[in-house]
Amino acid sequence: MGCIQSKTTHLPSPNDAPTIPELDKQISENGGENVDVQQQEQQKVAAFREYTLSELRKATNGFKTDCIVSESGEKAPNVVYKGRLDANHFVAVKRFSKQSWPDAQQFVAEAAGVGKVRHKRLANLVGCCAEGDERLLVAEYMPHDTLSKHLFHYDKQPLSWEMRVRVAYYIAQALDHCNAENLKIYHDLNAYRVLFDEDGDPRLSTFGLMKNSRDGKSYSTNLAYTPPEFMRTGRVIPESVIYSYGTILLDLLSGKHIPPSHALDIIRGKNALVLMDSSLEGQYVNDDATKMIELASKCLQYEARDRPDIKFLLSEVDPFQKQKEVASHVLMGLQKNAAVVPEMLSPLGKACARMDLTAVHDILLKTGYRDEEGAENELSFQEWTQQVQDMLNTKKSGDIAFRDKDFNNAVESYSKLVGMMPTPSATVFARRGLSYLMIGQPELALRDAMQAQVCIPEWPTAFYLQALALSKLGMEADANDMLNDGAAFEVKRQQHSWRN
């Protein structure tokens, strides 16, 4: 059965983009300046539409576990997958648990309502699917992880003070826009719902603008962090969102997930700065930090009527921003390069750049092991033992499977071979890496391509395969860097051969 025929095109939209004549009129009235930036932003986002289940299944490789981006993995009640709708269009696909929304018509109508709310501070909703008992949402994909990961599980550098202030302000902007569009309830606002786009700008997930089910809970996090009124009545009100915003402020200030009741006890103890993340030392003025802590405490008041509104929060947080002109990716230490394919690429490099796995397979097959400079011949000088014979037989099995495009068996044989060989083989890692790509496991393919580089540090093939795996993972800037590195080593090799 296909998606239900409740086409969203007939639903009136308060945010419909103006026609070209209307835009011309606006430009004329404004003297060519101050054209509505928000309307321009809306036009950049794909129109909301209903997808078929087969489209989303294909986009997520059959909802494979490798595509899951929920930080709780498969344990999440509603799992989020990374999907690719076409060559360069990545999306986040939220798959609700079975029977979350029995009424398909209601689900599509509510999703379409959220889909009309567009803003540059939101990870905008671009579609949904209601087919059989499946209910899915489709949103813009944000490649640079969640606030939770950057605060609590970072592996490079902690977020700077200035970036944390920016997160607080941008999320307040997102909530203010939702209020203006009469979507005043945000369900379960927390650090997992704040995402970072390709520019490093923080955005609020639109998934939280819909409940987890028609009649289900609005909060799924630890009860210690839920608003008091929800604990008393099970109901969410607009002021509940302010309380949750206060918990995010606490996260940003402390770099830890501190229960609000504990934080309020510390604040009342007149030693509020004890809450501050030690990694921020020297980055902020104490007065600013104290005021931000006081702002968080106002949001966390027990009585909903005592909490400030979002307009007040915007006006209070804005003055703390001291580096508005600095791009977010700079503040976060992210590399942001134009994805330009280098000109000096070998046929293998070009095949990797266009992600042509079949061509890559053909080239690796023809190249064989020649780049290992006689590694195969070393076996003939070793003492001939059963162990050596087993190793050769295993290698042969892997090579035959690789030749015959039996990639699951190729992975199995090459994995066994890696454990047997006294010296690692770059070619084996390269072949196993491509086999992993062929069976939809780009993370493992990237690991093998990196291992191949360890074996032969300036081997162009290793860099090209890393570029291919990174592209499959949606990391286009990093993939481009690897292509450039591979091309550079290609040139270096050619120059060396000319001199000889």
Side-chain angles (χ1 to χ4, degrees):
M1 186 170 91
C3 281
I4 64 170
Q5 299 301 308
S6 58
K7 297 304 177 187
T8 56
T9 51
H10 72 279
L11 296 172
S13 170
N15 294 322
D16 283 341
T19 62
I20 296 300
E22 288 172 332
L23 280 175
D24 289 342
K25 182 180 178 183
Q26 290 178 20
I27 293 172
S28 175
E29 290 173 351
N30 288 288
E33 298 177 356
N34 301 321
V35 179
D36 191 345
V37 175
Q38 183 56 39
Q39 289 170 341
Q40 294 176 3
E41 289 293 329
Q42 290 172 11
Q43 291 174 329
K44 294 178 184 177
V45 182
F48 185 90
R49 55 162 288 204
E50 292 180 41
Y51 291 91
T52 65
L53 183 58
S54 63
E55 284 179 296
L56 298 184
R57 182 175 282 119
K58 180 181 178 182
T60 58
N61 290 329
F63 300 109
K64 287 193 69 171
T65 54
D66 291 343
C67 296
I68 293 175
V69 291
S70 306
E71 290 193 30
S72 301
E74 293 178 279
K75 296 178 182 178
N78 302 301
V79 179
V80 180
Y81 298 82
K82 179 183 177 182
R84 185 200 290 263
L85 290 174
D86 52 49
N88 296 304
H89 186 195
F90 289 98
V91 290
V93 180
K94 180 175 182 177
R95 191 183 196 187
F96 287 88
S97 56
K98 302 295 183 186
Q99 301 304 319
S100 292
W101 290 84
D103 188 332
Q105 186 82 19
Q106 182 190 28
F107 174 79
V108 172
E110 292 207 22
V114 173
K116 294 186 181 75
V117 180
R118 300 296 173 88
H119 197 270
K120 61 184 178 180
R121 304 295 180 229
L122 293 171
N124 296 285
L125 199 67
V126 296
C128 69
C129 175
E131 187 172 324
D133 59 359
E134 292 280 4
R135 304 290 181 263
L136 303 107
L137 297 176
V138 184
E140 295 177 293
Y141 179 70
M142 303 289 110
H144 289 304
D145 297 316
T146 65
L147 177 61
S148 174
K149 187 164 185 178
H150 285 285
L151 280 178
F152 313 133
H153 312 291
Y154 60 87
D155 55 3
K156 291 185 179 178
Q157 63 183 53
L159 285 181
S160 66
W161 166 258
E162 187 62 32
M163 193 63 212
R164 298 187 197 204
V165 172
R166 183 168 298 180
V167 169
Y169 186 70
Y170 280 18
I171 298 311
Q173 283 186 317
L175 293 172
D176 183 49
H177 179 72
C178 292
N179 275 350
E181 297 299 324
N182 207 30
L183 284 175
K184 299 181 180 181
I185 300 296
Y186 191 95
H187 305 281
D188 207 8
L189 176 62
N190 57 58
Y192 293 98
R193 302 285 198 179
V194 179
L195 312 166
F196 293 87
D197 65 18
E198 64 275 8
D199 296 319
D201 286 332
R203 297 212 212 175
L204 184 61
S205 169
T206 44
F207 290 155
L209 292 172
M210 287 184 69
K211 286 184 292 187
N212 286 334
S213 66
R214 184 187 63 182
D215 304 312
K217 293 181 179 180
S218 292
Y219 282 81
S220 60
T221 53
N222 189 305
L223 295 179
Y225 302 91
T226 57
E229 59 275 8
F230 181 77
M231 295 291 292
R232 292 196 305 266
T233 67
R235 290 180 59 247
V236 179
I237 56 178
E239 291 81 4
S240 304
V241 182
I242 301 299
Y243 184 93
S244 296
Y245 180 81
T247 67
I248 287 185
L249 286 182
L250 276 184
D251 292 344
L252 290 167
L253 293 165
S254 67
K256 297 184 285 290
H257 209 32
I258 301 176
S261 58
H262 179 55
L264 289 173
D265 287 341
I266 294 174
I267 294 168
R268 294 188 194 104
K270 308 299 181 184
N271 193 18
L273 290 177
V274 171
L275 284 170
M276 295 299 294
D277 188 341
S278 59
S279 71
L280 297 176
E281 190 173 344
Q283 296 184 33
Y284 58 84
V285 177
N286 283 353
D287 190 44
D288 285 353
T290 301
K291 288 178 181 177
M292 282 282 277
I293 292 170
E294 289 173 355
L295 195 61
S297 70
K298 288 178 181 178
C299 295
L300 296 170
Q301 292 303 300
Y302 185 83
E303 295 295 338
R305 64 174 177 270
D306 294 334
R307 300 168 200 156
D309 61 24
I310 201 67
K311 292 288 187 187
F312 175 82
L313 294 173
L314 276 170
S315 64
E316 290 293 298
V317 175
D318 187 32
F320 298 131
Q321 298 188 95
K322 304 296 196 298
Q323 298 180 42
K324 293 182 180 181
E325 73 288 350
V326 181
S328 293
H329 75 269
V330 174
L331 292 176
M332 293 184 72
L334 298 172
Q335 293 294 323
K336 188 170 183 292
N337 301 317
V340 178
V341 177
E343 295 181 8
M344 280 295 298
L345 285 179
S346 67
L348 177 61
K350 291 176 182 176
C352 289
R354 64 177 185 267
M355 291 192 284
D356 186 343
L357 297 182
T358 301
V360 173
H361 176 257
D362 290 342
I363 293 168
L364 289 183
L365 203 56
K366 292 173 183 175
T367 303
Y369 290 76
R370 71 184 183 204
D371 285 318
E372 302 234 39
E373 298 179 343
E376 281 188 293
N377 296 331
E378 291 176 6
L379 296 174
S380 61
F381 298 106
Q382 296 180 18
E383 182 181 356
W384 196 263
T385 64
Q386 186 60 45
Q387 182 182 0
V388 173
Q389 183 64 59
D390 290 344
M391 188 165 60
L392 288 172
N393 290 340
T394 304
K395 175 180 174 296
K396 183 177 180 180
S397 296
D399 289 343
I400 290 173
F402 185 77
R403 181 198 66 195
D404 294 341
K405 300 183 180 179
D406 182 2
F407 297 111
N408 282 301
N409 278 329
V411 166
E412 184 177 346
S413 294
Y414 286 142
S415 297
K416 186 177 178 181
L417 180 61
V418 166
M420 298 168 71
M421 294 184 72
T423 304
S425 164
T427 303
V428 169
F429 281 123
R431 289 186 167 206
R432 189 176 70 172
L434 181 64
S435 299
Y436 276 132
L437 284 172
M438 289 291 193
I439 60 177
Q441 298 187 46
E443 293 91 350
L444 295 177
L446 178 60
R447 185 191 65 183
D448 272 1
M450 293 170 70
Q451 287 291 336
Q453 183 191 340
V454 171
C455 296
I456 308 178
E458 296 186 0
W459 193 31
T461 298
F463 289 90
Y464 293 148
L465 289 174
Q466 286 180 62
L468 178 52
L470 288 164
S471 291
K472 287 289 186 181
L473 291 166
M475 302 169 69
E476 300 297 340
D478 292 326
N480 189 59
D481 287 343
M482 286 297 161
L483 285 174
N484 277 304
D485 289 343
F489 286 123
E490 199 88 60
V491 171
K492 186 176 178 181
R493 276 192 163 199
Q494 290 173 3
Q495 290 173 341
H496 180 72
S497 63
W498 292 337
R499 281 195 294 268
N500 294 339

